[in-house]
């Protein structure tokens, strides 16, 4: 008798949910008839980086949740939150219940930056700051803002650098209309940053910003965006980059507009500096007191070389936003340099090139931490098509009955959350927002035990 193909997808962020959607809508070859998916998620809530990565003042991006919720209405897709792969469940456990396992675990931490002074007080990774302002349960509730930190540096000119700079330059009051948790609002009141200096080690045509996000930087009445003319150069490689990609030309146009604009006298300023390569974070008594950069120059190809000229910037905190990095997954190979699980179009392969049958990856753990949320769809389509091609030859699960999973998690005493549980927590957070004196759309619950209690009530 045929049955549904049973697949575990580890990670219920956009990459995992898109993969579940595509798989359950696909034709699955014999001996299976259709597919059913369990999303296994470490957080008690679904949606991964939409909840814990997208900045709170980006409600437009958070709207993607509506589409993901429609996917989750499919009864062939279940959600098991608060279950940690590696701690609560290992690959061998999953293999008992599923014919295939797809990892969509993303990239959750900051890429290392080997810079003297990186461990000083006041030197932070962007991912940690993002987790804090997005109210992730596993991080400290207080952010260590200090009363002397009026000038801060942000290293890296990608969209995370923009998010971090914007949140640092905005006032707590401006952010109160968003879904930030109470502890974040209280914390942001202690932020005294007036000047946020963003450093690009290359030129304006090499930044990784996207045009809309860059334009939006000036939408706050409390912020002036100041692009500094030093290093604002376009070499032949830059001109080629602009010709090749319309979005890169738009980015340079927006930067040029900022460059030409007189500051309005707003209380907070975001400065963007080009051709400044950070070489050292300067400290005194263990605390950040400055940043040292080497001035660079474009070499004609869009890359830069050092000039041997150095500058010191008096800043009291440094946030590095130089890219994310994925966690190593127990039982799976890992490419430390690229920070991904080695794979061929989504099929996991061992370091020696041999296949790890029935195990797949999609999203940032597959291709590295680049690209917008929408890009994970085509990525998921590729991975799922591989899985479907492989389906007839997969080693079948010993216990394919979906109820066996509930029984197993229950027998292990794991306090997992379900989709119904998430709906309860969602309603609770929306209710908190409505009841708030400022009638906010949502107020996030932060402690894990509170989330789990509400979801399981
Ligand atoms: P990213 O786009 O890769 O940008 C990283 C930046 O760090 C680059 O400017 C890079 O410069 C710089 N960098 C790397 N190593 C450095 C070093 N040693 N010293 C100085 N600078 C260094 O990464 P991201 O900002 O983390 O974003 C990740 C992805 O998420 C991107 O695709 C992004 O668009 C997306 N995202 C989107 C939004 C949104 O609102 N739409 C928000 C957040 C993130 P080089 O180019 O010179 O290496």
């Amino acid at each position: 008798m045929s049955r549904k193909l049973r697949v575990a997808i580890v990670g219920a962020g956009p990459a995992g949910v898109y993969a579940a959607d595509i798989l359950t809508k696909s034709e699955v070859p014999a001996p299976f008839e259709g597919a059913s998916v369990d999303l296994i998620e470490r957080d008690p809530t679904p949606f991964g980086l939409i909840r814990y990565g997208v900045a709170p003042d980006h409600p437009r991006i958070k709207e993607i949740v509506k589409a993901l919720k429609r996917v989750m209405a499919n009864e062939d897709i279940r959600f098991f939150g608060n279950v940690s792969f590696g701690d609560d469940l290992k690959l061998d456990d999953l293999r008992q219940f599923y014919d295939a396992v797809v990892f969509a675990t993303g990239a959750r931490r900051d890429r290392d930056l080997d810079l003297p002074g990186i461990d000083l007080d006041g030197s932070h990774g962007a991912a940690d700051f993002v987790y804090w302002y997005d109210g992730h349960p596993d991080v400290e509730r207080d952010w260590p803002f200090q009363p002397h930190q009026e000038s801060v540096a942000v290293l890296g000119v990608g969209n995370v650098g923009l998010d971090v700079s914007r949140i640092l330059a905005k006032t707590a009051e401006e952010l109160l209309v968003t879904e930030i948790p109470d502890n974040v609002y209280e914390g942001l009141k202690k932020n005294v940053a007036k000047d946020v200096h963003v450093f690009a080690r290359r030129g304006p045509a090499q930044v990784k910003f996207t045009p809309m996000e860059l334009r939006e930087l000036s939408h706050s009445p409390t912020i002036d965006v100041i692009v500094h003319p030093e290093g604002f150069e376009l070499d032949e490689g830059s001109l080629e980059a602009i010709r090749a990609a319309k979005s890169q030309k738009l980015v340079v146009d927006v930067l040029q507009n900022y460059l030409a604009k007189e500051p309005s006298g707003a209380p907070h300023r975001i400065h963007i500096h080009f051709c400044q390569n950070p070489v050292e974070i300067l400290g005194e008594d263990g605390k950040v007191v400055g940043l040292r950069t080497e001035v660079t120059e474009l070499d004609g190809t869009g890359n830069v070389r050092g000039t041997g000229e150095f500058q010191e910037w008096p800043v009291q905190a440094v946030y590095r936003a130089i890219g994310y990095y994925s966690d190593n997954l127990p039982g799976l190979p890992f490419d430390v340099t690229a920070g991904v699980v080695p794979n061929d179009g989504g099929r996991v392969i061992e370091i020696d090139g041999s296949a790890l049958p029935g195990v797949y990856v999609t999203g940032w753990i597959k291709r590295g931490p680049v690209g917008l949320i929408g890009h994970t769809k085509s990525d998921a389509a590729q991975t799922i098509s591989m899985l479907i091609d492989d389906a007839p030859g997969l080693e079948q699960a010993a216990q394919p009955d979906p109820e066996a999973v509930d029984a197993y998690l229950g027998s292990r005493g794991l306090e997992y959350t379900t989709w119904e549980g998430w709906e309860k927590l969602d309603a609770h957070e929306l209710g908190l927002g409505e009841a708030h004196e400022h009638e906010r759309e949502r107020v996030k619950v932060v402690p894990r035990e509170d989330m789990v209690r509400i979801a399981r009530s």
Side-chain angles (χ1 to χ4, degrees):
M1 250 198 26
S2 64
R3 63 163 172 86
K4 285 184 177 162
L5 173 74
R6 293 281 295 138
V7 177
I9 298 183
V10 181
V17 177
Y18 287 140
D21 188 32
I22 294 168
L23 178 57
T24 50
K25 286 177 177 160
S26 300
E27 195 135 320
V28 182
F32 303 103
E33 209 172 290
S36 80
V37 173
D38 289 344
L39 285 155
I40 312 277
E41 169 60 54
R42 190 166 83 168
D43 295 334
T45 51
F47 310 138
L49 76 69
I50 298 190
R51 185 172 164 100
Y52 292 125
V54 172
D57 58 346
H58 269 171
R60 185 182 47 80
I61 304 181
K62 290 194 185 262
E63 287 284 290
I64 297 172
V65 160
K66 286 189 180 156
L68 301 186
K69 277 184 175 169
R70 281 196 293 275
V71 172
M72 295 301 295
N74 179 343
E75 59 185 27
D76 279 325
I77 305 177
R78 304 191 301 175
F79 171 73
F80 292 96
N82 204 33
V83 178
S84 172
F85 174 77
D87 297 327
D88 299 329
L89 284 177
K90 309 247 183 313
L91 185 56
D92 284 345
D93 300 323
L94 291 174
R95 284 188 185 278
Q96 275 188 60
F97 304 107
Y98 304 99
D99 306 304
V101 184
V102 180
F103 289 88
T105 43
R108 300 175 70 112
R109 63 186 172 92
D110 291 292
R111 198 153 64 75
D112 287 341
L113 179 60
D114 186 14
L115 211 60
I118 199 76
D119 295 324
L120 288 164
D121 250 16
S123 164
H124 305 291
D128 294 335
F129 187 50
V130 171
Y131 267 173
W132 174 74
Y133 66 58
D134 269 340
H136 194 276
D138 297 344
V139 300
E140 294 280 332
R141 299 292 177 267
D142 293 326
W143 189 258
F145 288 121
Q146 300 298 325
H148 66 290
Q149 292 172 333
E150 291 200 352
S151 290
V152 303
V154 174
L155 314 183
V157 282
N159 283 331
V160 172
L162 280 187
D163 283 348
V164 166
S165 308
R166 209 178 55 250
I167 298 293
L168 285 168
K170 277 188 172 180
T171 62
E173 295 317 312
E174 279 177 277
L175 291 163
L176 184 59
V177 295
T178 71
E179 60 181 29
I180 51 168
D182 292 337
N183 69 295
V184 174
Y185 171 62
E186 291 304 321
L188 287 170
K189 284 195 211 165
K190 296 183 201 143
N191 169 25
V192 297
K194 301 251 180 312
D195 289 277
V196 178
H197 294 271
V198 186
F199 292 93
R201 58 180 175 177
R202 298 192 285 159
Q206 287 77 40
V207 300
K208 302 272 173 63
F209 303 147
T210 43
M212 190 159 44
E213 280 68 25
L214 181 60
R215 246 183 247 120
E216 184 198 56
L217 205 56
S218 65
H219 290 179
S220 159
T222 67
I223 300 175
D224 270 335
V225 181
I226 302 173
V227 168
H228 290 251
E230 301 80 18
F232 197 100
E233 278 157 28
L234 302 170
D235 63 351
E236 193 42 50
S238 304
L239 296 174
E240 221 173 286
I242 291 171
R243 279 194 295 269
K246 193 174 161 217
S247 64
Q248 206 59 28
K249 176 172 182 337
L250 286 175
V251 166
V252 174
D253 289 347
V254 179
L255 289 168
Q256 253 152 354
N257 288 342
Y258 284 139
L259 180 71
K261 209 171 161 197
E262 280 298 314
S264 69
H268 301 147
R269 292 159 291 278
I270 295 178
H271 306 260
I272 306 181
H273 305 277
F274 294 102
C275 289
Q276 297 282 352
N277 186 31
V279 291
E280 184 176 359
I281 301 175
L282 306 170
E284 227 173 71
D285 299 330
K287 294 190 174 72
V288 172
V289 295
L291 175 75
R292 191 169 147 85
T293 57
E294 180 176 15
V295 178
T296 61
E297 60 187 12
L298 289 159
D299 67 359
T301 68
N303 280 320
V304 285
R305 55 183 162 236
T307 61
E309 185 194 333
F310 294 87
Q311 286 190 10
E312 288 187 6
W313 308 82
V315 292
Q316 298 83 45
V318 174
Y319 291 75
R320 59 183 184 282
I322 59 151
Y324 284 112
Y325 192 83
S326 295
D327 286 324
N328 190 347
L329 297 166
L332 270 75
F334 193 66
D335 175 343
V336 179
T337 313
V340 298
V341 170
N343 68 93
D344 181 8
R347 286 186 182 110
V348 172
I349 47 175
E350 297 284 5
I351 300 287
D352 67 6
S354 62
L356 190 61
V359 184
Y360 303 83
V361 282
T362 190
W364 280 4
I365 188 72
K366 169 183 176 185
R367 65 189 153 85
V370 284
L372 304 178
I373 292 168
H375 295 148
T376 49
K377 262 190 202 169
S378 46
D379 206 18
Q382 186 194 36
T383 295
I384 295 305
S385 89
M386 302 271 171
L387 195 163
I388 287 174
D389 284 352
D390 296 346
L394 289 171
E395 186 172 330
Q396 295 195 14
Q399 300 185 59
D401 182 352
E403 282 177 21
V405 177
D406 306 65
Y408 180 74
L409 295 176
S411 73
R412 297 272 315 275
L414 296 173
E415 295 208 297
Y416 61 90
T417 56
T418 60
W419 183 252
E420 292 69 34
W422 156 245
E423 287 182 322
K424 280 184 201 164
L425 178 57
D426 190 28
H428 178 85
E429 291 186 338
L430 293 171
L432 289 179
E434 208 177 318
H436 196 278
E437 56 174 326
H438 291 93
E439 285 192 33
R440 303 168 56 195
E441 198 181 325
R442 166 191 305 274
V443 177
K444 275 182 179 170
V445 175
V446 181
R448 183 176 283 266
E449 57 279 14
D450 292 357
M451 284 197 271
V452 172
R453 181 177 41 75
I454 295 162
R456 288 173 62 92
S457 64

